[in-house]
Each structure stands twice: as C-alpha cells, then as structure tokens.
Amino acid sequence: MRKDLIFDRQEYATRLAAVKNEMTRRRIDVLLVSEPPSQNYLTGYDAYSFYTPQIAIVALGHPEPIFITRFQDRVSAVRTTYLADDNIRGFPDKYVNSPEFSAYDYMADVVKEIGGDKSRIGVEMGGYYYSARAHADLTRALPHAEFVDADLLVNWIRLVKSPAEVALMRQAGQVADAQIKCAVDMIEPGVRECEIAAAICHQQILGTREFSGSYDSAALMFGVGDRALEPHPAWTDNPLPTSTTVYMEVHGVRHRYQVNLARTVSVGTPSSTQQKLADFAIEALNAALESVRPGHTCSEVHAVFQETLARHGYEKEGRLGYPQGIGYPPASAERTASLRKADHTVLRPGMCFHMMPGLWLDNISVAISQPFVVTENGHEPLTSTPRKLFIK
C-alpha cells in the first residue's frame, strides 16, 4: 500500500528526537501516548478510530514508535504513518468493547517486548483518552513498572510549529475565511438558523477551490438573539427575525490542523451600545496583537488587552486566547499556554494562537476573534476576514 504522508520523514524524525530528549531529561524509559493529536504528531496516523483504545509507544531503546490500534484500523496506520509494518500492531476483535478482555493487556505485552516489565513509564494522566480503567488495567498488567505522569509532555513540544505546520495552519485559516463569508452572505431575515449552519458545515468540508477541508474537533458555535449571549451555543430551526444578533465560531481544518474564527453579525441596525462594544473590543484586540513578539509572555499580551478595554469601562474575565494546531474531538486547544494573567509562557516563533476576546455580557455580546502565528518580528494573521461587526 502506498504511504500517504503529510510531512517528510525528517519532520517526523525531528519531532521524535525532541520527545525522546524530554523523556531522557525526565528519566522516562517508555512513553504511552494516548491523545490522538499527539499520536498524529509523532506518527502521522489519521483515522476515525479513537473511540476504541489506541496508543503510540515511544521507547528510548526503539528507533520508531510502535502504534497499536484496533485490528481493522491497522490498514489506516499502514497508509498514513511512516512506520515500518512491524511497528504497527492491531489487537484482535475480542478486546473491542469487551467486559471480559482489556486491550491494555495487549498493549502491556508490547511494552514488555520493547521496554521491559520494569520500565519507568510515562502516561498522559490528564488526557481526554486516558481513562481510569486504562490506568488500572495497565498498572495491573505491568506490576513491576514505575508509572509517572507525563501529561502534556508532547503537547508542549507541539506548541512551536514547524514551517510546514504553519503552512497548513494558513490553509486552515483560508477555509475558516470561506466559512464566515458563506454565513454572512446567507444571513438575512427569514432564513432558518439550521440552513446557515448547514452551509457553514458544507463549506468546512468543501474547503477552497485549491484544497478541501475536514471535520473539526469541536462543534460549530452558532447562537441567535439571547443565545448569542452564550459562548458555546447551538443552532435551532427558527427563522432569523428582522432585528437580532448572530454569533458564530467556525473551524477551518486542513489535514487535522485547525484554525478557529469568530464573528458577530447584526441583523438590522445595531444599537449604539453594541456598536461601541464592538469598537472597543476591536481596539483592544488590535492592541494586543501589536504587542505579540518573541520574548514577550502570554501574560504581557493579555495585560495590553485588559488595559485597553478597561479605558472604556469593560473587563474580560476569561482567558484571551489559547494555542491551536492538530485537533481531534473533543477540543482543538493544546492544553498548554493561555493568553491570560499570570501565564508566563514566553512567546516563540511558530506558536499559533486563537485570540478570542469574546465579550458575553448580561444583555449584549460581541465576539470578534483573530487567529495568528508568532513570527520573528511580531505576528502573522492566519485569516483575512475583516475585524468588524458585520451588519446585514
């Protein structure tokens, strides 16, 4: 079967070397990678199979990761990863959704094979895909091993994107731009919310004239009227009234790299209060973006936003932004740095963030966001949609 790799072999080798260096620093012999984004990062694996147990095993003494998945998904690993066939394992069907057998027993046997049963093993204790049952089964099957928490070990390495990754983030941003344009063009009184949502999702998969998009790692956010006051609303089948607010956050995806983008649309003339709130939010957003540069911290960028917004009598309680890259359900954020107070992560070229200054107040809201990548001299926007309150 022909390999269908998104990046060249050297890209994967560089990533693996960085992970092994960190493992050595922490005295970890074997790393069990349970999070799909990090599995993709280290091997290239991409298939909708993460609803059953699967794991990438990185051992200091083994040149390649070993990827273990359900037996019928092994073919996807052969196609999408650079791994040698011997390093791709499929566990038998008896382990699938079984109350009697555990796939982690199968995985433990592979750990013994390549790392020994007395290894110091790192696991992602805070991961979405590492359950209490998984940990219990692994520790039972490997009673002589020492288990340590290695949550976010790979995530922090993923935080800085390579030039090849940034290129995919730019493409994902173009898909997000197309989604917003599609929605704004459709919005008018009488159009059902679900029709607009369906068009956004259609555009997400269709992508652009040059390349396709893909499914996202978090559902489309789409709220109208009172539901525009919610950060994570869903659409209904109601028609749009003659005067209302529409809030949406779309997700452009290219080869699992995701870029989020939010905009607010006023159907009919906005109130002077809403227009001013939008102007203040955009002013603070632009000021924060201008403060982005290597060497500055996440906290310093957040402070610029808050200080600018405070001059107009407003404050944003939640974080200003989060890092993005490879995304699988249930979330696209990388669970590492945040643009917020007291986060002293130093910005470096290649870090990608979604700056999301959503202001959801008691009876009015505005959400106008900007995804960006940190560059050598500042930042580069990953989308080109105008930063404004759209009026239809």
Side-chain angles (χ1 to χ4, degrees):
M1 177 177 288
R2 180 179 62 87
K3 295 285 187 181
D4 188 14
L5 301 181
I6 304 303
F7 302 100
D8 62 34
R9 292 290 298 270
Q10 185 55 49
E11 177 91 8
Y12 292 111
T14 299
R15 299 174 183 182
L16 182 61
V19 169
K20 286 189 172 184
N21 285 341
E22 182 62 17
M23 289 170 61
T24 299
R25 190 185 72 81
R26 300 191 192 188
R27 297 185 298 108
I28 293 173
D29 305 308
V30 177
L31 179 66
L32 304 184
V33 181
S34 55
E35 292 294 280
S38 293
Q39 294 169 354
N40 175 284
Y41 181 77
L42 288 171
T43 71
Y45 182 77
D46 183 31
Y48 205 96
S49 59
F50 42 82
Y51 58 90
T52 59
Q54 62 184 31
I55 210 155
I57 303 176
V58 179
L60 290 180
H62 202 271
E64 288 185 356
I66 290 184
F67 186 74
I68 303 174
T69 187
R70 187 181 183 182
F71 76 99
Q72 66 185 32
D73 293 306
R74 185 181 182 279
V75 63
S76 295
V78 171
R79 181 181 63 83
T80 62
T81 78
Y82 68 90
L83 304 176
D85 285 356
D86 287 347
N87 293 326
I88 302 171
R89 313 287 179 90
F91 55 80
D93 189 69
K94 72 176 185 178
Y95 293 109
V96 178
N97 295 339
S98 171
E100 183 179 359
F101 299 103
S102 171
Y104 295 98
D105 286 332
Y106 181 97
M107 296 171 183
D109 286 340
V110 178
V111 171
K112 294 174 186 176
E113 172 192 329
I114 66 171
D117 63 351
K118 296 181 180 179
S119 300
R120 181 175 163 91
I121 299 174
V123 292
E124 297 173 311
M125 294 293 286
Y128 297 118
Y129 291 86
Y130 191 71
S131 67
R133 174 57 59 83
H135 190 69
D137 287 352
L138 281 169
T139 54
R140 173 186 49 76
L142 294 163
H144 303 297
E146 178 188 0
F147 283 81
V148 296
D149 186 8
D151 191 36
L152 303 182
L153 185 154
V154 182
N155 295 51
W156 280 105
I157 294 170
R158 285 168 42 205
L159 182 58
V160 178
K161 310 296 182 291
S162 70
E165 290 180 290
V166 172
L168 290 183
M169 293 293 283
R170 293 190 186 104
Q171 292 182 345
Q174 291 179 49
V175 176
D177 282 329
Q179 291 174 271
I180 292 291
K181 182 180 186 305
C182 170
V184 172
D185 288 348
M186 281 190 68
I187 290 174
E188 63 179 52
V191 179
R192 292 193 302 163
E193 295 177 27
C194 55
E195 293 174 12
I196 302 168
I200 292 171
C201 294
H202 173 81
Q203 191 70 56
Q204 175 183 308
I205 304 300
L206 184 64
T208 72
R209 291 182 179 273
E210 291 75 30
F211 46 81
S212 69
S214 183
Y215 70 90
D216 55 357
S217 61
L220 166 69
M221 315 302 176
F222 191 93
V224 176
D226 287 344
R227 286 179 296 105
L229 301 174
E230 304 173 25
H232 305 115
W235 58 90
T236 73
D237 55 6
N238 296 329
L240 297 183
T242 56
S243 179
T244 194
T245 297
V246 178
Y247 151 64
M248 60 190 138
E249 181 188 291
V250 305
H251 309 128
V253 186
R254 177 65 172 159
H255 293 310
R256 301 312 322 146
Y257 283 80
Q258 180 162 318
V259 167
N260 295 2
L261 181 63
R263 285 296 181 272
T264 299
V265 181
S266 175
V267 180
T269 303
S271 67
S272 59
T273 303
Q274 184 177 37
Q275 185 62 68
K276 286 180 180 178
L277 184 63
D279 293 342
F280 299 156
I282 294 166
E283 178 187 351
L285 169 65
N286 289 337
L289 287 169
E290 288 305 310
S291 74
V292 171
R293 59 181 51 86
H296 281 195
T297 65
C298 290
S299 181
E300 288 173 324
V301 173
H302 175 266
V304 170
F305 176 85
Q306 291 286 48
E307 290 164 6
T308 305
L309 195 62
R311 289 201 291 268
H312 303 290
Y314 291 97
E315 179 183 3
K316 177 177 169 62
E317 181 179 354
R319 64 179 176 175
L320 176 60
Y322 48 85
Q324 290 202 276
I326 304 170
Y328 282 85
S332 61
E334 292 180 328
R335 296 197 300 126
T336 50
S338 289
L339 301 177
R340 63 181 168 201
K341 184 178 180 180
D343 189 321
H344 302 297
T345 303
V346 176
L347 298 180
R348 296 168 56 189
M351 291 183 177
C352 296
F353 288 88
H354 180 214
M355 188 178 286
M356 191 2 165
L359 299 174
W360 294 280
L361 309 181
D362 290 340
N363 57 5
I364 192 172
S365 67
V366 165
I368 300 168
S369 72
Q370 183 58 63
F372 67 91
V373 57
V374 181
T375 64
E376 295 289 345
N377 301 310
H379 79 282
E380 174 193 336
L382 291 169
T383 58
S384 59
T385 299
R387 297 171 207 150
K388 69 176 185 178
L389 174 66
F390 284 89
I391 303 173
K392 291 296 297 279

